[in-house]
Coordinates of all heavy atoms in Angstrom, one line a residue:
M59 N 0.8 -14.4 -39.6 CA 1.3 -13.7 -38.5 C 0.1 -13.2 -37.6 O 0.2 -13.2 -36.4 CB 2.1 -12.5 -38.9 CG 3.0 -12.1 -37.8 SD 4.7 -12.0 -38.0 CE 5.2 -10.6 -38.7
D60 N -1.0 -12.8 -38.2 CA -2.2 -12.4 -37.4 C -2.7 -13.5 -36.6 O -3.2 -13.3 -35.5 CB -3.3 -11.9 -38.4 CG -3.1 -10.5 -38.8 OD1 -2.4 -9.7 -38.0 OD2 -3.5 -10.1 -39.9
S61 N -2.7 -14.7 -37.1 CA -3.3 -15.9 -36.3 C -2.4 -16.1 -35.1 O -3.0 -16.5 -34.1 CB -3.4 -17.1 -37.2 OG -2.1 -17.5 -37.6
T62 N -1.1 -15.9 -35.2 CA -0.3 -16.2 -34.0 C -0.6 -15.1 -33.0 O -0.7 -15.4 -31.8 CB 1.2 -16.1 -34.4 OG1 1.4 -16.9 -35.6 CG2 2.1 -16.4 -33.3
F63 N -0.7 -13.9 -33.4 CA -1.1 -12.8 -32.4 C -2.4 -13.1 -31.8 O -2.5 -12.9 -30.6 CB -1.1 -11.5 -33.2 CG -1.5 -10.3 -32.3 CD1 -0.7 -9.8 -31.3 CD2 -2.8 -9.8 -32.4 CE1 -1.1 -8.8 -30.5 CE2 -3.2 -8.8 -31.6 CZ -2.3 -8.3 -30.6
V64 N -3.4 -13.5 -32.5 CA -4.7 -13.8 -32.0 C -4.6 -14.9 -31.0 O -5.3 -14.9 -29.9 CB -5.7 -14.1 -33.1 CG1 -7.0 -14.6 -32.6 CG2 -5.9 -12.9 -34.0
K65 N -3.8 -16.0 -31.3 CA -3.7 -17.1 -30.4 C -3.1 -16.6 -29.0 O -3.6 -17.0 -28.0 CB -2.8 -18.2 -31.0 CG -3.5 -18.9 -32.1 CD -2.5 -20.0 -32.6 CE -3.1 -20.7 -33.8 NZ -2.1 -21.6 -34.4
Y66 N -2.1 -15.8 -29.1 CA -1.5 -15.3 -27.8 C -2.4 -14.4 -27.1 O -2.5 -14.4 -25.8 CB -0.1 -14.7 -28.1 CG 1.0 -15.6 -28.4 CD1 1.6 -15.6 -29.7 CD2 1.4 -16.6 -27.5 CE1 2.6 -16.5 -30.0 CE2 2.4 -17.5 -27.8 CZ 3.0 -17.4 -29.0 OH 4.0 -18.3 -29.3
A67 N -3.1 -13.6 -27.8 CA -4.0 -12.6 -27.1 C -5.1 -13.4 -26.5 O -5.5 -13.1 -25.4 CB -4.6 -11.6 -28.2
F68 N -5.6 -14.4 -27.2 CA -6.7 -15.2 -26.6 C -6.2 -16.0 -25.4 O -6.9 -16.0 -24.3 CB -7.2 -16.2 -27.7 CG -8.4 -17.1 -27.2 CD1 -9.6 -16.5 -27.0 CD2 -8.2 -18.4 -26.9 CE1 -10.7 -17.3 -26.6 CE2 -9.2 -19.2 -26.5 CZ -10.5 -18.6 -26.3
A69 N -5.0 -16.5 -25.4 CA -4.5 -17.2 -24.2 C -4.3 -16.3 -23.1 O -4.6 -16.6 -21.9 CB -3.1 -17.9 -24.6
A70 N -3.8 -15.0 -23.4 CA -3.7 -14.1 -22.3 C -5.0 -13.7 -21.7 O -5.1 -13.6 -20.4 CB -3.0 -12.8 -22.8
L71 N -6.0 -13.5 -22.5 CA -7.4 -13.2 -22.0 C -7.9 -14.3 -21.1 O -8.5 -14.1 -20.1 CB -8.3 -12.8 -23.1 CG -8.1 -11.5 -23.8 CD1 -9.0 -11.3 -25.0 CD2 -8.3 -10.4 -22.8
I72 N -7.7 -15.5 -21.6 CA -8.2 -16.7 -20.8 C -7.5 -16.7 -19.4 O -8.2 -16.9 -18.4 CB -8.0 -18.0 -21.6 CG1 -8.9 -18.0 -22.8 CG2 -8.3 -19.2 -20.7 CD1 -10.4 -18.0 -22.5
S73 N -6.2 -16.6 -19.4 CA -5.5 -16.6 -18.1 C -5.9 -15.5 -17.2 O -6.0 -15.7 -16.0 CB -4.0 -16.6 -18.4 OG -3.6 -15.4 -19.0
L74 N -6.2 -14.3 -17.8 CA -6.6 -13.2 -17.0 C -8.0 -13.5 -16.4 O -8.3 -13.2 -15.2 CB -6.7 -11.9 -17.8 CG -7.2 -10.7 -17.1 CD1 -6.2 -10.3 -16.0 CD2 -7.4 -9.6 -18.1
A75 N -8.9 -14.1 -17.2 CA -10.2 -14.4 -16.7 C -10.2 -15.4 -15.6 O -10.9 -15.3 -14.6 CB -11.1 -14.9 -17.9
I76 N -9.3 -16.4 -15.7 CA -9.2 -17.5 -14.7 C -8.7 -16.9 -13.4 O -9.2 -17.2 -12.3 CB -8.4 -18.6 -15.2 CG1 -9.1 -19.4 -16.3 CG2 -8.0 -19.6 -14.1 CD1 -8.3 -20.4 -17.1
S77 N -7.6 -16.1 -13.5 CA -7.1 -15.5 -12.3 C -8.0 -14.6 -11.6 O -8.1 -14.5 -10.4 CB -5.8 -14.8 -12.6 OG -6.0 -13.6 -13.4
T78 N -8.8 -13.8 -12.4 CA -9.8 -12.9 -11.8 C -10.9 -13.7 -11.1 O -11.3 -13.4 -10.0 CB -10.4 -12.0 -12.8 OG1 -9.4 -11.3 -13.5 CG2 -11.4 -11.0 -12.2
T79 N -11.3 -14.8 -11.7 CA -12.4 -15.6 -11.1 C -11.9 -16.3 -9.8 O -12.6 -16.4 -8.8 CB -12.8 -16.7 -12.1 OG1 -13.2 -16.1 -13.3 CG2 -13.9 -17.6 -11.6
A80 N -10.6 -16.7 -9.8 CA -10.1 -17.3 -8.6 C -10.0 -16.3 -7.5 O -10.3 -16.6 -6.3 CB -8.7 -17.9 -8.9
A81 N -9.6 -15.1 -7.8 CA -9.6 -14.0 -6.7 C -10.9 -13.7 -6.2 O -11.1 -13.6 -5.0 CB -8.9 -12.8 -7.3
L82 N -12.0 -13.7 -7.0 CA -13.3 -13.5 -6.5 C -13.8 -14.6 -5.7 O -14.5 -14.4 -4.7 CB -14.3 -13.2 -7.7 CG -14.1 -11.9 -8.5 CD1 -15.0 -11.9 -9.7 CD2 -14.3 -10.7 -7.6
A83 N -13.4 -15.8 -6.1 CA -13.8 -17.0 -5.3 C -13.2 -17.0 -3.9 O -13.9 -17.4 -3.0 CB -13.5 -18.3 -6.1
L84 N -12.0 -16.5 -3.8 CA -11.4 -16.5 -2.5 C -12.1 -15.5 -1.6 O -12.2 -15.8 -0.4 CB -9.9 -16.1 -2.6 CG -9.0 -17.1 -3.2 CD1 -7.6 -16.5 -3.4 CD2 -8.9 -18.3 -2.3
E85 N -12.6 -14.4 -2.1 CA -13.3 -13.5 -1.3 C -14.7 -13.9 -0.9 O -15.2 -13.5 0.2 CB -13.4 -12.1 -2.0 CG -12.0 -11.5 -2.2 CD -12.1 -10.2 -3.0 OE1 -13.3 -9.8 -3.4 OE2 -11.1 -9.6 -3.3
Q86 N -15.3 -14.7 -1.6 CA -16.7 -15.1 -1.4 C -16.9 -16.5 -0.9 O -18.0 -17.0 -0.8 CB -17.5 -14.9 -2.6 CG -17.5 -13.5 -3.1 CD -18.3 -13.3 -4.4 OE1 -18.8 -14.3 -5.0 NE2 -18.4 -12.1 -4.9
N87 N -15.9 -17.2 -0.5 CA -16.0 -18.6 -0.1 C -16.6 -18.8 1.3 O -17.0 -19.9 1.6 CB -14.7 -19.4 -0.3 CG -13.7 -18.9 0.6 OD1 -13.8 -17.9 1.4 ND2 -12.5 -19.5 0.7
C88 N -16.6 -17.8 2.1 CA -17.1 -18.0 3.5 C -18.6 -18.3 3.6 O -19.0 -19.1 4.4 CB -16.8 -16.7 4.3 SG -15.1 -16.4 4.6
R89 N -19.4 -17.8 2.7 CA -20.8 -18.0 2.8 C -21.2 -19.4 2.5 O -22.3 -19.8 2.8 CB -21.6 -17.0 2.0 CG -21.4 -17.2 0.5 CD -22.3 -16.3 -0.2 NE -21.6 -15.7 -1.3 CZ -22.1 -15.0 -2.3 NH1 -23.4 -14.8 -2.2 NH2 -21.4 -14.5 -3.2
F90 N -20.3 -20.2 1.9 CA -20.7 -21.6 1.5 C -20.3 -22.6 2.6 O -20.5 -23.8 2.4 CB -20.1 -21.9 0.2 CG -20.6 -21.1 -1.0 CD1 -19.8 -20.2 -1.6 CD2 -21.9 -21.1 -1.3 CE1 -20.3 -19.4 -2.6 CE2 -22.4 -20.3 -2.4 CZ -21.6 -19.5 -3.0
I91 N -19.6 -22.1 3.6 CA -19.2 -23.0 4.7 C -20.4 -23.3 5.6 O -21.1 -22.4 6.0 CB -18.1 -22.4 5.5 CG1 -16.9 -22.1 4.7 CG2 -17.7 -23.2 6.7 CD1 -15.7 -21.4 5.3
Q92 N -20.7 -24.6 5.8 CA -21.9 -25.0 6.5 C -21.9 -24.8 8.0 O -22.8 -24.3 8.6 CB -22.3 -26.4 6.2 CG -22.6 -26.7 4.7 CD -23.9 -25.9 4.3 OE1 -24.8 -25.8 5.0 NE2 -23.8 -25.4 3.1
A93 N -20.7 -25.1 8.6 CA -20.6 -25.0 10.1 C -20.5 -23.5 10.5 O -19.6 -22.8 9.9 CB -19.4 -25.8 10.5
K94 N -21.3 -23.1 11.4 CA -21.3 -21.7 11.8 C -20.0 -21.2 12.4 O -19.5 -20.2 12.0 CB -22.5 -21.5 12.7 CG -22.7 -20.0 13.1 CD -23.9 -19.8 13.9 CE -24.0 -18.3 14.2 NZ -25.2 -17.9 15.0
P95 N -19.4 -22.0 13.3 CA -18.1 -21.5 13.8 C -17.0 -21.3 12.8 O -16.2 -20.4 12.8 CB -17.7 -22.5 14.9 CG -18.9 -23.3 15.2 CD -19.8 -23.2 14.0
D96 N -17.0 -22.3 11.8 CA -16.0 -22.2 10.8 C -16.3 -21.0 9.8 O -15.3 -20.3 9.4 CB -16.0 -23.5 9.9 CG -15.5 -24.7 10.7 OD1 -14.8 -24.5 11.7 OD2 -15.8 -25.8 10.3
R97 N -17.5 -20.8 9.6 CA -17.9 -19.7 8.7 C -17.6 -18.3 9.4 O -17.0 -17.4 8.7 CB -19.4 -19.7 8.4 CG -19.9 -18.7 7.4 CD -21.3 -18.9 7.0 NE -22.2 -18.9 8.1 CZ -23.0 -19.9 8.5 NH1 -22.9 -21.0 7.9 NH2 -23.8 -19.8 9.6
E98 N -17.8 -18.2 10.7 CA -17.5 -17.0 11.4 C -16.0 -16.8 11.5 O -15.5 -15.7 11.4 CB -18.1 -17.0 12.8 CG -19.6 -16.9 12.7 CD -20.3 -17.0 14.1 OE1 -19.6 -17.3 15.1 OE2 -21.5 -16.8 14.2
A99 N -15.3 -17.9 11.6 CA -13.8 -17.8 11.6 C -13.3 -17.3 10.3 O -12.3 -16.5 10.2 CB -13.2 -19.1 12.0
C100 N -13.9 -17.8 9.2 CA -13.5 -17.3 7.9 C -13.8 -15.8 7.7 O -13.0 -15.1 7.2 CB -14.3 -18.1 6.8 SG -13.9 -17.7 5.1
Y101 N -15.0 -15.4 8.1 CA -15.3 -14.0 8.1 C -14.3 -13.1 8.9 O -13.9 -12.0 8.5 CB -16.7 -13.7 8.5 CG -17.8 -14.1 7.6 CD1 -18.9 -14.8 8.0 CD2 -17.7 -13.7 6.2 CE1 -19.9 -15.1 7.1 CE2 -18.7 -14.1 5.3 CZ -19.8 -14.8 5.7 OH -20.7 -15.1 4.9
K102 N -13.9 -13.6 10.0 CA -13.0 -12.9 10.9 C -11.6 -12.8 10.2 O -11.0 -11.7 10.2 CB -12.8 -13.7 12.2 CG -11.8 -13.1 13.2 CD -12.3 -11.7 13.7 CE -11.4 -11.2 14.8 NZ -11.3 -9.8 14.8
R103 N -11.2 -13.9 9.6 CA -9.9 -13.8 8.8 C -10.0 -12.8 7.7 O -9.0 -12.0 7.5 CB -9.6 -15.2 8.2 CG -8.9 -16.1 9.1 CD -8.3 -17.3 8.4 NE -9.3 -17.9 7.5 CZ -10.1 -19.0 7.8 NH1 -10.0 -19.5 9.0 NH2 -10.9 -19.5 6.9
Q104 N -11.1 -12.8 7.0 CA -11.3 -11.8 5.9 C -11.2 -10.3 6.5 O -10.6 -9.5 5.9 CB -12.6 -12.0 5.2 CG -12.5 -13.2 4.2 CD -13.7 -13.3 3.4 OE1 -14.8 -12.6 3.6 NE2 -13.7 -14.1 2.4
E105 N -11.9 -10.1 7.6 CA -11.9 -8.8 8.2 C -10.5 -8.4 8.6 O -10.0 -7.2 8.4 CB -12.8 -8.8 9.4 CG -14.2 -8.8 9.1 CD -15.1 -8.8 10.4 OE1 -14.5 -8.5 11.5 OE2 -16.3 -9.2 10.3
D106 N -9.7 -9.3 9.2 CA -8.3 -9.0 9.6 C -7.5 -8.7 8.4 O -6.6 -7.8 8.4 CB -7.7 -10.2 10.3 CG -8.4 -10.4 11.7 OD1 -9.1 -9.5 12.2 OD2 -8.3 -11.5 12.3
E107 N -7.6 -9.5 7.3 CA -6.8 -9.2 6.1 C -7.2 -7.8 5.5 O -6.3 -7.1 5.1 CB -7.1 -10.3 5.0 CG -6.5 -11.6 5.4 CD -6.9 -12.7 4.4 OE1 -7.6 -12.4 3.4 OE2 -6.6 -13.9 4.7
L108 N -8.5 -7.5 5.5 CA -8.9 -6.2 5.0 C -8.4 -5.1 5.8 O -8.0 -4.1 5.3 CB -10.4 -6.2 4.9 CG -11.1 -5.1 4.0 CD1 -10.6 -5.3 2.6 CD2 -12.6 -5.1 4.2
A109 N -8.4 -5.3 7.1 CA -7.9 -4.2 8.0 C -6.4 -4.0 7.8 O -5.9 -2.9 7.9 CB -8.2 -4.6 9.5
A110 N -5.7 -5.1 7.6 CA -4.3 -5.0 7.4 C -3.9 -4.3 6.1 O -3.0 -3.5 6.0 CB -3.6 -6.4 7.3
K111 N -4.8 -4.5 5.1 CA -4.6 -3.7 3.8 C -4.9 -2.3 4.0 O -4.3 -1.4 3.3 CB -5.5 -4.3 2.7 CG -5.0 -5.7 2.2 CD -6.0 -6.2 1.2 CE -5.6 -7.6 0.7 NZ -6.6 -8.1 -0.3
R112 N -5.8 -1.9 4.8 CA -6.3 -0.5 5.0 C -5.5 0.3 6.0 O -5.8 1.4 6.2 CB -7.7 -0.5 5.3 CG -8.6 -1.0 4.2 CD -10.1 -0.8 4.6 NE -10.9 -1.3 3.6 CZ -12.2 -1.4 3.7 NH1 -12.8 -1.2 4.8 NH2 -13.0 -1.8 2.7
K113 N -4.5 -0.3 6.7 CA -3.7 0.4 7.7 C -3.1 1.6 7.0 O -2.4 1.5 6.0 CB -2.7 -0.5 8.3 CG -3.2 -1.4 9.4 CD -2.1 -2.0 10.1 CE -2.6 -2.9 11.3 NZ -1.5 -3.6 12.0
P114 N -3.2 2.7 7.7 CA -2.5 3.9 7.1 C -1.0 3.9 7.3 O -0.5 3.5 8.4 CB -3.2 5.1 7.9 CG -3.5 4.5 9.2 CD -3.9 3.0 8.9
A115 N -0.3 4.3 6.3 CA 1.1 4.4 6.3 C 1.6 5.8 6.6 O 2.8 6.1 6.6 CB 1.7 3.8 5.0
A116 N 0.7 6.7 6.8 CA 1.0 8.1 7.0 C 1.8 8.4 8.2 O 2.7 9.3 8.2 CB -0.3 8.9 7.0
P117 N 1.6 7.8 9.4 CA 2.4 8.2 10.6 C 3.9 8.0 10.4 O 4.6 8.8 10.8 CB 1.8 7.3 11.7 CG 0.4 7.0 11.3 CD 0.5 6.9 9.8
A118 N 4.3 7.0 9.7 CA 5.7 6.7 9.5 C 6.2 7.9 8.6 O 7.3 8.4 8.8 CB 5.9 5.4 8.8
A119 N 5.5 8.2 7.6 CA 5.9 9.3 6.7 C 6.0 10.6 7.4 O 6.8 11.5 7.2 CB 5.0 9.4 5.5
E120 N 5.0 10.9 8.3 CA 5.0 12.1 9.0 C 6.2 12.2 10.0 O 6.8 13.3 10.0 CB 3.7 12.3 9.9 CG 2.5 12.6 9.1 CD 1.3 12.7 10.0 OE1 1.4 12.8 11.2 OE2 0.2 12.7 9.4
S121 N 6.6 11.2 10.6 CA 7.7 11.2 11.5 C 9.0 11.5 10.7 O 9.9 12.2 11.2 CB 7.8 9.9 12.3 OG 8.1 8.8 11.5
T122 N 9.1 10.9 9.6 CA 10.2 11.1 8.7 C 10.3 12.5 8.3 O 11.4 13.2 8.3 CB 10.2 10.2 7.5 OG1 10.1 8.8 7.9 CG2 11.5 10.3 6.7
T123 N 9.1 13.1 7.9 CA 9.1 14.5 7.4 C 9.4 15.4 8.6 O 10.2 16.4 8.4 CB 7.7 14.8 6.9 OG1 7.3 13.9 5.9 CG2 7.6 16.2 6.4
L124 N 8.9 15.2 9.8 CA 9.3 16.0 10.9 C 10.7 16.0 11.2 O 11.4 17.0 11.6 CB 8.4 15.7 12.1 CG 6.9 16.0 12.0 CD1 6.2 15.5 13.2 CD2 6.7 17.5 11.8
E125 N 11.3 14.8 11.2 CA 12.7 14.6 11.4 C 13.5 15.4 10.4 O 14.5 16.0 10.7 CB 13.1 13.1 11.5 CG 14.5 12.9 11.7 CD 14.9 13.3 13.1 OE1 14.1 13.2 14.1 OE2 16.1 13.7 13.3
T126 N 13.2 15.3 9.2 CA 13.9 16.0 8.1 C 13.8 17.5 8.3 O 14.8 18.2 8.2 CB 13.3 15.7 6.7 OG1 13.3 14.2 6.6 CG2 14.0 16.3 5.6
L127 N 12.6 18.0 8.7 CA 12.4 19.5 8.9 C 13.3 19.9 10.1 O 13.9 21.0 10.1 CB 11.0 19.8 9.2 CG 10.1 19.8 7.9 CD1 8.6 20.0 8.4 CD2 10.5 20.9 7.0
R128 N 13.3 19.1 11.1 CA 14.1 19.5 12.3 C 15.6 19.5 11.9 O 16.3 20.5 12.3 CB 13.9 18.5 13.4 CG 14.5 18.9 14.7 CD 14.1 18.1 15.9 NE 14.2 16.6 15.7 CZ 15.4 16.0 16.0 NH1 16.4 16.6 16.4 NH2 15.4 14.7 15.8
Q129 N 16.1 18.6 11.1 CA 17.5 18.6 10.7 C 17.8 19.8 9.8 O 18.8 20.4 10.0 CB 17.8 17.3 9.9 CG 19.2 17.2 9.5 CD 20.2 17.1 10.6 OE1 19.9 16.5 11.7 NE2 21.3 17.7 10.5
M130 N 16.8 20.2 8.9 CA 17.0 21.3 8.1 C 17.1 22.6 8.9 O 18.0 23.5 8.6 CB 15.9 21.4 7.1 CG 16.0 20.4 6.0 SD 14.6 20.4 4.9 CE 14.5 22.1 4.3
R131 N 16.3 22.7 9.9 CA 16.3 23.9 10.8 C 17.7 24.0 11.6 O 18.2 25.1 11.7 CB 15.2 23.9 11.8 CG 13.9 24.2 11.1 CD 12.7 24.3 12.1 NE 11.5 24.6 11.4 CZ 10.3 24.2 11.8 NH1 10.2 23.6 12.9 NH2 9.3 24.5 11.1
Q132 N 18.2 22.9 12.0 CA 19.5 22.9 12.7 C 20.6 23.3 11.7 O 21.5 24.1 12.1 CB 19.8 21.5 13.3 CG 19.0 21.1 14.5 CD 19.2 19.7 14.9 OE1 19.9 18.9 14.3 NE2 18.7 19.4 16.1
D133 N 20.5 22.8 10.5 CA 21.5 23.2 9.5 C 21.4 24.7 9.2 O 22.4 25.4 9.1 CB 21.3 22.4 8.2 CG 21.7 20.9 8.4 OD1 22.3 20.6 9.4 OD2 21.2 20.1 7.5
D134 N 20.2 25.2 9.1 CA 20.0 26.6 8.8 C 20.5 27.5 10.0 O 21.2 28.5 9.7 CB 18.5 27.0 8.6 CG 18.0 26.4 7.3 OD1 18.8 26.1 6.4 OD2 16.7 26.4 7.1
D135 N 20.3 27.1 11.2 CA 20.8 27.8 12.3 C 22.3 27.9 12.3 O 22.9 28.9 12.6 CB 20.3 27.2 13.6 CG 18.8 27.4 13.9 OD1 18.3 28.3 13.2 OD2 18.2 26.7 14.7
A136 N 23.0 26.7 12.0 CA 24.4 26.7 11.9 C 24.9 27.6 10.8 O 25.9 28.4 11.0 CB 24.9 25.3 11.6
V137 N 24.3 27.7 9.7 CA 24.7 28.6 8.6 C 24.5 30.0 9.0 O 25.4 30.9 8.8 CB 23.9 28.3 7.3 CG1 24.1 29.3 6.3 CG2 24.3 26.9 6.8
Y138 N 23.4 30.4 9.7 CA 23.1 31.8 10.1 C 24.1 32.2 11.1 O 24.6 33.3 11.1 CB 21.7 31.9 10.6 CG 20.6 31.7 9.6 CD1 19.4 31.1 9.9 CD2 20.8 32.2 8.3 CE1 18.4 31.0 9.0 CE2 19.8 32.0 7.3 CZ 18.6 31.4 7.7 OH 17.7 31.3 6.7
R139 N 24.5 31.3 12.0 CA 25.6 31.7 13.0 C 26.9 31.9 12.3 O 27.6 32.8 12.7 CB 25.7 30.5 14.1 CG 24.7 30.7 15.2 CD 24.9 29.6 16.3 NE 24.0 28.5 15.9 CZ 24.3 27.2 15.8 NH1 25.5 26.8 16.1 NH2 23.4 26.3 15.5
S140 N 27.2 31.2 11.3 CA 28.5 31.4 10.7 C 28.5 32.6 9.8 O 29.5 33.3 9.7 CB 28.9 30.2 9.8 OG 28.0 30.0 8.7
I141 N 27.3 33.0 9.3 CA 27.2 34.2 8.4 C 27.2 35.4 9.3 O 27.6 36.5 8.9 CB 25.9 34.1 7.6 CG1 26.1 33.1 6.5 CG2 25.6 35.5 7.0 CD1 24.8 32.9 5.6
N142 N 26.7 35.3 10.5 CA 26.6 36.5 11.4 C 28.0 37.2 11.7 O 28.0 38.4 11.9 CB 26.0 36.0 12.8 CG 25.6 37.1 13.6 OD1 25.3 38.2 13.1 ND2 25.5 36.9 14.9
N143 N 29.1 36.4 11.6 CA 30.4 37.0 11.8 C 31.0 37.6 10.6 O 32.1 38.2 10.7 CB 31.3 35.9 12.4 CG 30.9 35.5 13.7 OD1 30.2 36.2 14.5 ND2 31.2 34.2 14.1
I144 N 30.4 37.5 9.5 CA 30.9 38.0 8.2 C 30.5 39.5 8.1 O 29.4 39.9 8.3 CB 30.4 37.3 7.0 CG1 30.9 35.9 7.0 CG2 30.9 38.0 5.7 CD1 30.3 35.0 5.9
C145 N 31.5 40.4 7.8 CA 31.3 41.8 7.7 C 30.7 42.1 6.4 O 31.2 41.7 5.3 CB 32.6 42.6 7.9 SG 32.4 44.3 7.6
R146 N 29.5 42.7 6.4 CA 28.8 43.1 5.1 C 29.0 44.6 4.9 O 28.6 45.4 5.7 CB 27.3 42.7 5.2 CG 27.1 41.2 5.4 CD 25.6 40.9 5.4 NE 25.4 39.6 5.9 CZ 24.7 39.2 6.9 NH1 24.0 40.1 7.6 NH2 24.6 38.0 7.3
G147 N 29.5 44.9 3.7 CA 29.7 46.3 3.4 C 30.8 47.0 4.0 O 30.7 48.2 4.3
C148 N 31.9 46.3 4.4 CA 33.0 46.9 5.1 C 33.7 47.8 4.1 O 34.0 47.6 3.0 CB 33.9 45.9 5.7 SG 33.2 45.0 7.0

């Protein structure tokens, strides 16, 4: 049973190593392009992909948060108006 586990673990490690190597090769392939315009286009594509990954998602979350707070305040105001007519300590 140990040999079966070792075989599967070894296969998993090999596949992980291959996938990692392929990912690194995709990132570094621009420098091996001989033609300067093609190489610069490759670098430009990489910059665009990196910029797309780094785009902040915070403004969408902020607008949702502000909308939620505004809605909560409107609900609170409605509750306070309805409580205002209740006699306390009559």
Side-chain angles (χ1 to χ4, degrees):
M59 202 128 76
D60 277 334
S61 64
T62 308
F63 175 73
V64 172
K65 288 179 185 177
Y66 285 119
F68 182 71
L71 286 174
I72 294 297
S73 64
L74 179 67
I76 290 172
S77 66
T78 305
T79 306
L82 289 175
L84 287 175
E85 292 177 3
Q86 298 177 357
N87 65 353
C88 292
R89 70 174 133 170
F90 298 113
I91 298 174
Q92 295 297 323
K94 186 175 180 177
D96 294 338
R97 185 174 58 245
E98 289 176 353
C100 181
Y101 284 135
K102 179 69 174 150
R103 275 194 310 269
Q104 282 185 350
E105 287 177 16
D106 293 342
E107 290 172 4
L108 195 63
K111 287 180 184 178
R112 291 183 180 171
K113 276 190 177 178
E120 284 181 14
S121 65
T122 306
T123 304
L124 291 176
E125 181 65 31
T126 304
L127 286 174
R128 189 167 54 84
Q129 181 64 36
M130 287 174 55
R131 286 184 182 153
Q132 287 177 350
D133 293 343
D134 288 345
D135 289 340
V137 170
Y138 292 145
R139 274 185 265 131
S140 68
I141 288 177
N142 194 21
N143 295 332
I144 297 175
C145 177
R146 295 183 195 124
C148 293

